[in-house]
Amino acid sequence: MLDYTNITGAASPMLTLAKANGYPVFAKSSGSVESFCKKFGIRFRSLSLFSLLLYASSSKPTLLTVRSKETIICCIVALITGAKVKRVNLNLKTYFIDRFIETVPLEKTGWVEIPEKTMEKAGKTENLPSLVVVSRLKRERKLEVLFKKLVNLRTRIEPTLIGGGDEKIYERISCHVPVKWVRDKMDDFYRTLTSFDLLLYPSAGSDKSCRTVLEAMACGVPVVSTEPLTKRYLTGHEGMLVDLEHIPVLVDRLISLPSLLKKMSLNALKRARRFSVERVRL
């Protein structure tokens, strides 16, 4: 069992793993990581060479890290205390220090918390199909290109965009298609997801885990993705990986077939359980 995780930088998949397995979290004090840990009852320790030495000397654990700088610190601690070091390769980069430690490939970083009770779809006040995009509003996330494609939909839809970021990007997006923007953090993100018929996923975030896809599937929401990294989650029965050019045709087809969407919703729930955080071991 891994009994240490270093998640400086607030990588959400690492926080999820720490919460599920009871790992102590070492990170900079007074940041978002510490706030998350206090809110969800995760053991938090201020990151320093001394605190690492003290912890590693007491139990000689495996030090699980993410970033290159913290990996170097953990390697120094390991030389002194005899602990082991593993780095989760979330950023798809390799470093010189990786020659001396074990790295965990991106393919093994898929995990998600499954709601205790399978949520039923929230009742709708209108008959319009509902699409959602969950993403930071950043240029590299390809949101403008995605929403330009939605102009070609035959069905009348007002998509919802969830995520903070650059307001200018939202202004450019809304020039092409009416978009509801939810920029504030949600206390019950899972409950919100259940109210949608389909998730559109344009590109991976900074940690490359594509966990939003799994979160949607855990809520019974089928996924249409243009991000190649989501191939390990989608088989075609609960969601599809397609080229951006095919988005309008595919979305029109899916939302015109409620029975198909319902079937894909059930398949999405089933598939997401294979990536339950309780089952994934690094």
Side-chain angles (χ1 to χ4, degrees), residues 134-135 189 193 199 201 209-217 223:
V134 181
S135 172
F189 179 59
L193 279 181
L199 172 78
Y201 192 80
S209 69
C210 306
R211 198 162 65 99
T212 296
V213 170
L214 287 176
E215 290 172 330
M217 291 164 56
V223 178

Side-chain angles (χ1 to χ4, degrees), residues 8-220:
T8 301
S12 57
M14 303 302 291
L15 284 168
T16 303
L17 190 64
K19 179 176 180 290
N21 292 272
Y23 298 161
V25 173
F26 287 74
K28 295 179 181 178
S29 298
S30 304
S32 58
V33 177
E34 184 176 8
S35 298
F36 183 97
C37 291
K38 289 181 178 179
K39 181 178 180 180
F40 292 98
I42 302 173
R43 288 181 293 160
F44 177 86
R45 301 186 186 186
S46 179
L47 177 63
S48 68
L49 182 59
F50 175 76
S51 63
L52 280 174
L53 283 170
L54 186 63
Y55 176 74
S57 298
S58 63
S59 58
K60 293 185 179 181
T62 296
L63 307 182
L64 182 63
T65 181
V66 179
R67 294 186 173 184
S68 57
K69 180 180 178 181
E70 284 74 26
T71 302
I72 294 173
I73 296 175
C74 288
C75 285
I76 294 173
V77 171
L79 286 173
I80 298 172
T81 64
K84 297 180 180 179
V85 179
K86 289 187 179 183
R87 184 176 76 83
V88 182
N89 192 10
L90 292 177
N91 58 12
L92 300 180
K93 296 180 180 179
T94 56
Y95 303 98
F96 177 79
I97 198 69
D98 290 344
R99 301 180 184 183
F100 309 103
I101 63 175
E102 181 180 347
T103 57
V104 180
L106 178 69
E107 289 75 15
K108 293 187 178 181
T109 61
W111 52 71
V112 67
E113 290 182 284
I114 306 297
E116 292 183 4
K117 296 182 179 180
T118 302
M119 299 181 185
E120 296 182 358
K121 290 287 186 180
K124 294 183 180 181
T125 58
E126 53 182 308
N127 294 323
L128 290 178
S130 55
L131 305 182
V132 63
V133 177
V134 181
S135 172
R136 290 284 297 175
L137 275 68
K138 301 169 68 174
R139 182 189 301 178
E140 58 267 27
R141 298 302 297 271
K142 305 177 183 178
L143 292 171
E144 293 179 65
V145 180
L146 172 66
F147 280 96
K148 281 183 181 179
K149 295 297 180 183
L150 297 183
V151 175
N152 299 322
L153 289 176
R154 297 193 305 268
T155 310
R156 184 167 66 92
I157 294 176
E158 182 178 349
T160 298
L161 174 59
I162 299 177
D166 191 341
E167 188 170 349
K168 292 182 179 179
I169 292 179
Y170 170 71
E171 292 174 354
R172 291 194 291 269
I173 288 173
S174 57
C175 287
H176 301 287
V177 59
V179 179
K180 179 182 179 182
W181 185 21
V182 181
R183 69 179 82 182
D184 297 326
K185 291 185 177 181
M186 301 176 178
D187 292 332
D188 196 345
F189 179 59
Y190 277 104
R191 177 61 62 184
T192 301
L193 279 181
T194 61
S195 64
F196 294 98
D197 295 312
L198 195 65
L199 172 78
L200 302 185
Y201 192 80
S203 60
S206 57
D207 66 23
K208 306 301 181 185
S209 69
C210 306
R211 198 162 65 99
T212 296
V213 170
L214 287 176
E215 290 172 330
M217 291 164 56
C219 294

